Every structure is written in C-alpha cells, then in structure tokens.
Amino acid sequence: MSIQPIRLFGDPVLVSPAAMVIDFDKELRNLVADLIDTMHDAPGAGLAAPQIGVPLRVFVWDIDEELGHLINPSLDLSEELQEGEEGCLSFPEMLYETPRAMRAVAKGWNMYGEPVTVEGSELLARALQHETDHLDGILFIDRLSPENRKMAMKEIRESEWFGLAQDSGINPQIRISPHNTLGRSL
C-alpha cells in the first residue's frame, strides 16, 4: 500500500500499550500491507503498528523468507534462553546483546479474523518476542543488562537521529519491563 515513517525512540507511542484490534476490516488489511511495505523498505525483519504511529496490537515479520503477520498476540515462552544481537528500526543502527527465550509460541489472529498459531525458535522466536514487546510499550533496551543499557543510552544521546528528535520536543521515557525477564535484566 504505502511506506510510512518509522517512529524513533522518544516518541510516546512507542512506550504506550497498544489497543486490541476489534474490527477485522479493509482498514486493518491496509495497515498490514503498510507495515509490510515499510518493513521491507527500511529494511527490517519485523515491524509493529506502534512503530508507524498506530497504537493497535498488530505486527509483521519476514524471517528466513517467511512473511507473516499477527494480530492481538499472546506468547508462551520456553525457559531456555538465547543470547544474540538485537536491533530495532526505532533505534537506527544500534545492536546490543539481548536475552530472549529460545523458543516462542505466539497465538493470535490473521487479518481476516482467523486464529493463527506461530511456533518459532532462535531468530523467529526473537522477532515474535521483540514485536509483542512493542505492543506492550516495551522496548528492546528495557531488556538489556544494566551495563548494556548504560552503553545504549550513551549511544542514543550521541546519535544524530536522537538530537533531531529532542530538537522537535520529544523526550524519551525509559521503563523497566513488567514482563518476566527470566532473571536476565532489570
């Protein structure tokens, strides 16, 4: 459909919980198409609706040539953990070691209101967790170790994109994840 601007860290929509989707209509299908177009243009491996300023529980992913979307997701996570670099389109050019569950089972609906279950491990599990966090107003930096979070915040403050956001009056809000972090971060 169309490529939308991606909201950057500091935008309040990124730290606000998204609303449940109620209407599975043409407008929702257009949103999914916009998310896919925007994700591919960025390019990225996943994108949540709040990242384009739409506070609804919708996200898309493109992992290992598997394109998908999920609406109103819930997650079941393995206790086994994985470490790996993670980035976010709302934090341009930043990558940090971020702990995540090794496997995830996500349940929700597709754009037509049909139930969907997605099972993933490693990268797909990471993407499902990352994008679901966006829907809960949680950012990947909220999941970093205290040491990595300190380095990330320094990198953010020194970035050109953050300076532009502050000049426009956007002030960041940093929150601690209310979700089980499996003892790996604050």
Side-chain angles (χ1 to χ4, degrees), residues 6-12 14-15 88-92 94 139 141-142 152-153 156-157 161-162 165-166 170-175:
I6 295 174
R7 303 294 178 95
L8 300 177
F9 175 69
D11 191 312
L14 295 175
V15 293
C88 180
L89 295 173
S90 294
F91 295 79
M94 287 181 58
L139 303 172
I141 62 169
D142 298 327
M153 291 308 299
I156 290 166
R157 283 189 302 275
W161 61 264
F162 185 66
Q166 283 203 308
I170 296 173
N171 294 313
Q173 177 183 357
I174 303 194
R175 299 181 350 169

Side-chain angles (χ1 to χ4, degrees), residues 83 97-100 133 138-151 153 174-186:
E83 284 284 338
E97 288 289 318
T98 307
R100 294 285 185 179
D133 273 355
I138 305 301
L139 303 172
F140 91 103
I141 62 169
D142 298 327
R143 298 232 181 238
L144 299 179
S145 68
E147 177 181 296
N148 281 347
R149 182 183 305 206
K150 185 176 179 180
M151 290 187 322
M153 291 308 299
I174 303 194
R175 299 181 350 169
I176 303 298
S177 174
H179 303 286
N180 181 356
T181 60
L182 305 170
R184 297 301 300 242
S185 62
L186 295 175

Side-chain angles (χ1 to χ4, degrees), residues 47-112:
L47 188 66
Q51 290 180 274
I52 62 168
V54 179
L56 290 174
R57 297 186 66 78
V58 179
F59 69 81
V60 299
W61 72 88
D62 192 346
I63 305 286
D64 298 329
E65 298 181 21
E66 179 188 335
L67 180 62
H69 70 277
L70 202 54
I71 298 160
N72 298 337
S74 64
L75 287 180
D76 290 318
L77 304 175
S78 70
E79 290 189 27
E80 182 184 5
L81 295 177
Q82 62 171 309
E83 284 284 338
E85 281 194 335
E86 191 167 316
C88 180
L89 295 173
S90 294
F91 295 79
E93 301 178 18
M94 287 181 58
L95 291 172
Y96 282 89
E97 288 289 318
T98 307
R100 294 285 185 179
M102 178 63 80
R103 290 180 304 284
V105 177
K107 295 179 181 179
W109 287 263
N110 69 15
M111 67 178 112
Y112 303 103

